[in-house]
Each structure stands twice: as structure tokens, then as C-alpha cells.
Amino acid sequence: MGIEMRNLTKRLGGETVIEGVDLSVRMGEILFVVGESGAGKSVLMRHVIGLHKPDWGSVYVDGERVDSLPEKKLYTVRERCGFVFQHPALLDFLSLEGNVAMPLRRRRGMGGTQAAEEARLWLRRVGIVDEGSRFPDEVGAGVKKRASIARVLALQPRYVVYDEPTTGLDPVSARRIDALIKRHAEEQDVSTIVVSHDLRSLAIAHRVAFLHRGRLRATGTLDELRASSDPVVRRFLLGGNPQSTEALATQDDDICYSYRRE
Amino acid sequence: MITFQDVTIELNGVRALEEVSLCVEPGELMGLVGPSGAGKSVLLKAACGLIPVTSGRIEIAETPLNELSEDEILDLRRRIGMLFQQGALFDALSVFENVAFPLRRRDWPEQEITDRVLIELERVGLSHAAHLLPEELSGGMRKRTGIARALVTDPPVGLFDEPIAGLDPVTGSRILNLLRTASTERKVTSIAVGHELDTLLPVCDRVAMLLDGRLVYLGSASEMPEAEHLAVRQFFMGSEEGPL
Amino acid sequence: MVIEAQPHRAVFFLGRTAVGVIRTVGSMVLLGGRALSGLRRPTWPAGELFSQAYLAGNRSLLLVAITLAFVGMVLVFHACIQSQRVLGEMSLVGPAFLQLIIREFGPTIVALMIAARVGAGISAELASMVVTEQVDALRMNGADPARYLVAPRLVSVWIMTVALCVFGCAVAAVSGAVTANLLFGLSYDTFISFSMTRTGDLVTGLAKASAYGFYIPLAASWAGLSASSGSEGVGRATTAGVVVGSLGVIVLSAVIGAAVFGLGL
């Protein structure tokens, strides 16, 4: 069981964005999908919940092929997969607690008090139960992010996909999100895919998949990737430190490529 | 040179900056970090007179900001290159025209504008994209266009608001390199705001950290882990435990 | 239980509102002044006047035509019925209707439509420029948003408002005449008569049209430029632009009406 993509290829706007990607995530595993902007990370993830249909290849969730499912049946897949979008998209007119409770009421059919109780439970798990009665525009970016994560996790999905969960957050908030992802994956035994380019987050990964120009360039544990001799992988992992001579030296070699992609 | 002396700023009755004093030396690149809402962007906007100071004194290139009339501030701003958080490119203008904009405002002759803009676009590696509109650009390209527009007039002062927010580390370091080169080779006195410490700090000469509108750290990046203030250490390490 | 009167609360409220109104008007006047000073030496991009005029004018033609056609229809319908009942005949309906349309309803209703359609557009556009820091970027490059953004909108919307008011009056007159002819059998000659319209009415109508034409883009620009950050700032600014714009139109209508009356035109 788990999520599996086989030989996935996707063209968008006349350009091949994903090319022959084979990738799977096992139960209880934290998989990081990393790569430069435009490498196709987000597009790849959108295939899991059927927001994109592949041109080639197939996607399996729990052994069931989902890429050919009609929109109606996709709901059962989306029920099982939580997707934390990059921008929190909380509803402004509801408190944080209300935001978490709303899907519980609508999709789990809970009553008002039960949903509120459940929402508080999840806010406590993500560590912001004290902020529950406040509104999205009264709290900082990190708290908003955690509320949006609570909103997804409260539905208890078997799979969770996080799209750049730490982008735009200060380091302290970012590490809190990391710890949260890790704890949830371990305690609830859910499979987790994190799309990210925050190098510090990689510490919580069980396995890392490095995507480059729509292709899977390398997979393995973080240590395996660090030991890789592939210059592209090395440059990315060192990218956070531009003064390292290696990063500077390889800086412009495929600049033309990134322009085309951009 | 940029000098802040006991600067306090109130916005809508809320203290955004409180008695901040700092000084950026000529040709220095200062990193300005802190949690969101700490007042980093406010400080940048105050430095170019976009936000009025409640008390204290700001000097830009030896000109005290407080004593200037609106027209004089307009004039001073021409000597400041600013990169806005979201790029702030003019939607209706192409990349070329966006970069040419500051020069057109200074009534440069057409030929010189073209030459100058092409050189600047070359520097940020966007020569091939001159004709594109902002909506056709990726995040990294928008930022680079913004940097070209900020630096096209060879300003003595550069202010960069979140130059690498949301960019991957490789694109991010490419952009920070542009800022580093600008301050080293073109002697642009710069402040760069961000919270991607791993990428930002290595290119900066010094770091200033704001917390709730107060300056809690000013010094080299390497000494940040030994800072007195617990919050600074926590911020630098990104650890979960601490006052933040 | 004794209910105590709390006069101070009302006073506070009134005072706050008054201060708010004065502030708003004051900052609008300042903005208008700066924009007008920009007309001496235009700095906006070439073609801006034309494209703004196109946006404001051509795109509002249909809206104005439909609205004024219905207003003419409804007004004439009721006027004819009342006139029949009170006077027993309808020969004065046409002249009175034309005077009313020229002096009051034509310009004001057209202006309300423009405040909603064009004003909202200007507020939203400028507000999104504020939110994405484009306005700050302009200021950083020594371009005063009042002169660079507001001035061309002011001029083109002003011209277009006056033109649309004339157009709207014509549409209302025609639809009124057709209604009177088809439903009440009034001949076009009897209906289209300017016997009750004096020069003063014409002047009043034009004065109103040009006052609205100046005020609407100014109010909309003011609302747009005072937007707070975030995407909800754009929404709020747009609402504010329409509200302040339409309220102002009504107030201006009364003020100009009173002034003209005082002057004895």
C-alpha cells in the first residue's frame, strides 16, 4: 500500500514538465521531493489527488489506479489524501478554530460542539490551541500555516502532501513546522510527501527524491544524496551557501536551461 | 551611508519600530533579519521616506531625511535603488521598459537609455527576456528584473526587501550574488531583508536582527550563535525551544 | 430603573464622523490639487489618456444607454398618468420631463452609473497597485502617483462623463418620447419641446456633469491609493470608491442645485 507513480510524463503548454518519473512512498514514510523552482515538483504532486492527469504513465493510491478515475470518484481518493497548499487559504471570517471545524462538520458530518472539540484537539496537537479564538489576520504567518495544517490533519488522511510548508517562514517557525510534520507522521503512521526547497527541513526526511528538469535525478536518504558525486545534486545541497566555491563555480553552467524553464 | 538614530515609528497607533539605531557603512551589505512582523520592511520604507518617522533621525547619503520637503525627498529617492518584496514591476510595461523607467524619469536621451538598460539586463542575465511582460516571468526573473531596475541608475544606496523569499537555494544564491557584486564592485551601500539565514547571512558583511520593532542584534553573522539575547540564538539555530 | 441620557457618546460619534469627513475631503482636495498641477507638464505614458478614456467611455455606453432608457420610460409613464389625472391632459409632460432630465436626472443618474462602473475600476486598479507596491516603486523613481496615475484618469473620465451625460439625456428623451407616443398617443412634436427648458437648466446640467466628472475619478483614486495591504485591501478600497463616489454625487447634486437656485438661474 502507499502511493506509487509509474513512468509519469506530463506536458503543459507544449513543454514536458514531468518526464518518466517513477516514485513511491510507503506507509509511515516521510518522502521529500526537492529541486529548483520549475523542476516540476508541485505539478508532480497534483497528480496524486487528480488535479492533473498524466499524459503517460499511471498513479496508484492504495493499489488503486487513480489517474483514469472520473472526477466523482476522485473524491474518495482526495478523502484519503490531505493536501496542505503553499498559501494557507484560511477563511477570513472564521476564527482559527472555526476554520479547522468547518471541514469536520461538512465532510465528517459532525455536530457543532463535537466539531469544535475536535478542532481544539487538533489545534493543541499543532501547538496553537491558545490562538484558537483569534482570526487569521490577527496572527503571524507561522500560526496561520499551522492552523492550515491542523485543518487538513483533522480529517485524518492516510496520506499528507505538504507543498513548500516552510517557504516564507522565519527559521523558528519553519523548524516548528518540521517537528510537527515528523511527529504526525510517526504517531499516526501516515505517509508524508513534502515538496520543499528548504535545505534545513531535509533533516526530518526518511528519503529524498531530487527532481531536476522534470526528471528524477536522484533518490536516497539525505546522507546518500550528500555523498552523491552528481554535480547538480551537490550544487543544490550546497546552494544554501553561495560562498562555497563549488556552488559559485557551477553557478552559471546551465543558466540557459533555467531561463528556458523560467 | 545609511544612519538610523533612535528611530521610532508608529503606524496606526502601533509601534512598528522602537528606538532603532544602526549605521551601514559605505559599500557595506547589511543583512536585516527577524521574525515576520518585526518591522523589517517598515525600516526599509522609512529609510527612503515612504513611511514618516515619529521620532529620531535618519540620514541617507549624508542627507537628513526629516528636514527634507516632499520635493527634496523625491529627489533623494532617485539616489536610492529599491527592490520591493513582490518585485513591484509595472504590469503594463515590458521587462525592458520596467528597467528603463527610472532613466526615463530622469529624461535621459533614448540611445543612452537603451545602452544602459541592455548592460543592466546583461548583468542580471535577462537579455533574452527584455520583451516579456511581468506576468510571463518566474519568481526569480521578477526579482532579477526588480534588481536591474533598482540598480540601473547606479545609486549609492540599495534597499532590498526579501530578495530571495520563496526562491529555491540555487536561484536564491544567484540573486544574492548580484547584490554582493553590487556592493563590492559598484560600492552600493545596501540593506537586504530576509529570513533565509542559511542563504542570506554568508553574503552579508554584518547582520542586524529586529524583534518586535527593537534592534536585538548588530554584528557579524558568525558571532550570532554567541549573542547575549536568547531570542537571537534561538532564531539563528531555528530551535523550537526559546522565547520566540 | 433610570435610563441616563448619554449625550457625550452622541457628541463623540458626531465629532468623529465630522473629523473623518473633513479628513477625507481634505486629503481628496490635496490629491486633486497635486493631480491638477501635474497637468502643466504631463509625465504619464503616451496613449494613457486615450486608453483611459476608452475604458471609461466606450465601455460604459451600453450601461448608460440601458439605464437611461428605462429611467425615461418609467418617469414618462408615471408623469403621463399623473398629468392625465390632475390636469386632464398631457401636453406639458414632454417639456417638464426634458427640463427635469437635463437639469437633474440625466447627469446624476449617469454619474451614479459611472461611479459604480468606472469608479470601481479605478479604485480596484490603483488599490492593487498599492498592494503590490507598484505605487511605492513609482514614488521611489520620483514619479508622484497623483501626477502620474491620477491626473490622466481625471482628465479622461472628466471628458467622458460630460459626453456620457449628454448622451444619456438624449437616450432618456428618445425613450420618453417613444413611451408617450406608444402608450399615451402623444405626438413626438408635442413631447419634444424645450419650451420649459431655459439656459439656466442647461448650465446647471452641464455644471453638474462636469463636477461629477471631476469628482468621481478623484474619489475613486483617493480610495484606491488609500488601500491597506493585502488582497482584502483591494476589495475594501473598491467598495469605498463606489460608496464615496456615489454619496458625493448625490451631495454635489444638492449643493449645485442650491447654488444655482441661490444665483437665480
Side-chain angles (χ1 to χ4, degrees):
Chain A
M1 294 287 136
I3 295 174
E4 199 178 342
M5 298 169 209
R6 285 187 206 151
N7 194 22
L8 206 69
T9 298
K10 177 72 182 172
R11 294 172 65 80
L12 280 176
E15 224 181 306
T16 309
V17 189
I18 304 284
E19 211 174 338
V21 169
D22 289 295
L23 193 62
S24 62
V25 59
R26 290 181 288 272
M27 292 312 294
E29 187 182 35
I30 302 178
L31 172 74
F32 266 64
V33 179
V34 300
E36 295 177 25
S37 332
K41 307 180 295 269
S42 296
V43 175
L44 187 65
M45 286 310 113
R46 293 169 79 87
H47 282 88
V48 175
I49 49 172
L51 291 176
H52 278 320
K53 304 264 179 211
D55 292 325
W56 239 282
S58 43
V59 183
Y60 295 85
V61 174
D62 289 332
E64 182 190 6
R65 185 163 173 177
V66 301
D67 53 88
S68 50
L69 284 182
E71 193 71 12
K72 249 187 181 168
K73 289 199 175 156
L74 272 173
Y75 279 117
T76 64
V77 178
R78 289 181 188 155
E79 292 267 279
R80 277 173 280 160
C81 298
F83 206 103
V84 179
F85 288 95
Q86 187 176 350
H87 300 287
L90 296 172
L91 300 173
D92 284 342
F93 52 89
L94 291 178
S95 65
L96 297 185
E97 188 187 298
N99 265 288
V100 179
M102 200 200 62
L104 288 172
R105 293 227 303 265
R106 297 188 64 101
R107 290 177 51 183
R108 289 283 177 273
M110 289 185 183
T113 29
Q114 194 194 356
E117 226 162 79
E118 187 79 4
R120 269 198 296 280
L121 177 81
W122 284 96
L123 286 175
R124 177 164 296 123
R125 289 221 174 141
V126 300
I128 51 169
V129 68
D130 296 338
E131 323 261 358
S133 57
R134 298 173 74 183
F135 285 82
D137 55 355
E138 300 169 342
V139 298
V143 174
K144 252 191 255 182
K145 197 76 173 197
R146 279 191 274 175
S148 73
I149 292 176
R151 183 172 61 177
V152 171
L153 298 187
L155 293 169
Q156 308 199 339
R158 288 157 55 80
Y159 307 96
V160 190
V161 178
Y162 299 88
D163 194 0
E164 306 205 3
T166 57
T167 294
L169 297 183
D170 64 73
V172 175
S173 308
R175 297 297 78 76
R176 284 199 178 123
I177 301 281
D178 289 346
L180 177 66
I181 292 173
K182 186 170 186 309
R183 206 177 59 228
H184 183 77
E186 283 168 358
E187 283 176 8
Q188 310 285 319
D189 195 39
V190 301
S191 307
T192 305
I193 304 181
V194 185
V195 173
S196 179
H197 46 231
D198 186 338
L199 296 175
R200 283 210 205 176
S201 295
L202 290 180
I204 64 163
H206 294 146
R207 208 150 54 89
V208 181
F210 183 83
L211 213 57
H212 186 64
R213 306 182 189 181
R215 288 167 177 277
L216 203 57
R217 186 92 179 197
T219 44
T221 62
L222 181 57
D223 289 332
E224 282 166 8
L225 248 65
R226 284 209 174 112
S228 159
S229 57
D230 187 334
V232 179
V233 177
R234 292 187 67 81
R235 182 183 60 173
F236 186 84
L237 292 177
L238 289 166
N241 184 355
Q243 278 188 340
S244 63
T245 46
E246 198 169 355
L248 285 184
T250 52
Q251 196 132 65
D252 287 328
D253 58 355
D254 53 2
I255 207 157
C256 293
Y257 167 74
S258 64
Y259 288 162
R260 191 176 63 76
R261 170 111 291 163
E262 280 172 347
Chain B
M1 189 151 100
I2 309 168
T3 315
F4 274 66
Q5 215 175 67
D6 299 323
V7 174
T8 299
I9 290 177
E10 279 181 21
L11 283 177
N12 308 324
V14 181
R15 286 231 156 153
L17 281 189
E18 208 160 340
E19 303 199 345
V20 170
S21 299
L22 64 86
C23 174
V24 190
E25 303 295 334
E28 185 183 26
L29 173 57
M30 178 174 281
L32 181 61
V33 301
S36 61
K40 304 180 298 261
S41 297
V42 173
L43 188 144
L44 279 203
K45 290 198 172 168
C48 47
L50 290 175
I51 294 178
V53 170
T54 310
S55 73
R57 199 178 148 83
I58 300 178
E59 270 182 36
I60 300 287
E62 260 122 70
T63 321
L65 213 57
N66 317 35
E67 294 155 24
L68 298 183
S69 69
E70 186 66 22
D71 278 343
E72 285 169 316
I73 288 187
L74 276 179
D75 197 52
L76 174 76
R77 285 194 195 127
R78 290 168 189 232
R79 289 189 276 145
I80 302 175
M82 177 135 185
L83 171 72
F84 290 89
Q85 202 164 350
Q86 301 161 56
L89 303 180
F90 303 123
D91 295 328
L93 303 182
S94 67
V95 167
F96 182 94
E97 283 305 320
N98 261 290
V99 179
F101 188 83
L103 302 177
R104 292 206 194 288
R105 297 294 305 170
R106 288 162 180 74
D107 297 325
W108 279 35
E110 195 58 36
Q111 188 55 44
E112 275 178 55
I113 290 182
T114 310
D115 294 347
R116 192 75 192 75
V117 171
L118 289 181
I119 293 175
E120 206 58 47
L121 284 178
E122 178 84 46
R123 276 195 180 124
V124 298
L126 283 178
S127 307
H128 64 293
H131 59 284
L132 296 181
L133 286 173
E135 61 188 351
E136 300 172 285
L137 304 180
S138 71
M141 289 169 96
R142 293 179 70 94
K143 288 278 160 66
R144 283 186 284 162
T145 310
I147 290 175
R149 188 177 67 186
L151 295 178
V152 71
T153 53
D154 257 323
V157 172
L159 304 171
F160 306 101
D161 198 358
E162 305 260 10
I164 56 168
L167 301 178
D168 68 76
V170 176
T171 314
S173 62
R174 206 175 273 159
I175 281 175
L176 287 175
N177 259 8
L178 292 172
L179 304 190
R180 182 68 261 179
T181 319
S183 67
T184 313
E185 287 170 14
R186 299 165 80 180
K187 296 286 168 244
V188 183
T189 306
S190 316
I191 302 182
V193 164
H195 40 228
E196 301 81 356
L197 301 186
D198 298 332
T199 326
L200 181 64
L201 296 191
V203 301
C204 295
D205 296 307
R206 277 193 303 159
V207 192
M209 177 169 157
L210 285 177
L211 181 62
D212 297 331
R214 289 168 184 277
L215 189 70
V216 289
Y217 182 79
L218 183 63
S220 75
S222 54
E223 284 163 17
M224 249 182 126
E226 285 100 54
E228 250 177 71
H229 207 298
L230 189 59
V232 178
R233 296 208 296 273
Q234 187 202 355
F235 191 77
F236 184 80
M237 311 302 277
S239 56
E240 277 192 83
E241 278 84 44
L244 287 180
Chain C
M1 202 177 94
V2 183
I3 297 169
E4 273 182 63
Q6 289 186 316
H8 56 283
R9 279 218 179 161
V11 171
F12 270 146
F13 179 75
L14 281 178
R16 243 204 346 248
T17 314
V19 169
V21 169
I22 291 169
R23 268 216 189 123
T24 306
V25 172
S27 55
M28 244 185 248
V29 168
L30 284 179
L31 184 67
R34 289 226 307 282
L36 286 183
S37 76
L39 295 180
R40 269 180 302 163
R41 195 170 147 263
T43 53
W44 54 78
E48 178 83 350
L49 271 187
F50 183 80
S51 62
Q52 289 298 335
Y54 177 78
L55 278 179
N58 284 34
R59 297 293 196 78
S60 311
L61 266 180
L62 192 62
L63 178 71
V64 166
I66 293 173
T67 316
L68 269 291
F70 274 98
V71 167
M73 223 184 279
V74 172
L75 276 182
V76 167
F77 180 77
H78 286 286
C80 282
I81 289 177
Q82 295 298 332
S83 166
Q84 180 83 333
R85 198 188 288 160
V86 178
L87 299 175
E89 53 101 30
M90 299 178 285
S91 64
L92 282 179
V93 168
F97 168 74
L98 288 177
Q99 188 214 11
L100 193 65
I101 280 290
I102 289 171
R103 189 188 174 102
E104 177 64 56
F105 278 116
T108 305
I109 290 175
V110 168
L112 286 175
M113 291 296 119
I114 293 179
R117 183 163 186 321
V118 181
I122 291 178
S123 298
E125 188 190 5
L126 295 192
S128 73
M129 287 187 78
V130 169
V131 170
T132 56
E133 296 176 311
Q134 290 181 53
V135 169
D136 281 342
L138 278 176
R139 291 165 73 193
M140 283 307 295
N141 286 300
D144 183 349
R147 290 172 203 166
Y148 192 83
L149 296 173
V150 180
R153 283 165 178 76
L154 217 56
V155 174
S156 45
V157 175
W158 182 68
I159 295 173
M160 279 302 145
T161 305
V162 175
L164 282 172
C165 283
V166 173
F167 170 72
C169 290
V171 170
V174 170
S175 92
V178 171
T179 311
N181 183 266
L182 292 183
L183 296 183
F184 300 94
L186 270 174
S187 77
Y188 290 112
D189 285 342
T190 333
F191 190 87
I192 304 282
S193 148
F194 293 96
S195 58
M196 282 174 78
T197 313
R198 292 192 205 93
T199 328
D201 297 321
L202 209 59
V203 172
T204 312
L206 279 176
K208 281 184 178 171
S210 50
Y212 300 151
F214 186 76
Y215 173 77
I216 291 168
L218 184 60
S221 305
W222 170 82
L225 289 177
S226 348
S228 56
S229 62
S231 49
E232 67 274 12
V234 178
R236 264 185 230 138
T238 311
T239 313
V242 176
V243 170
V244 174
S246 350
L247 266 182
V249 165
I250 302 290
V251 172
L252 273 178
S253 156
V255 169
I256 295 175
V260 168
F261 186 74
L263 288 173
L265 281 171

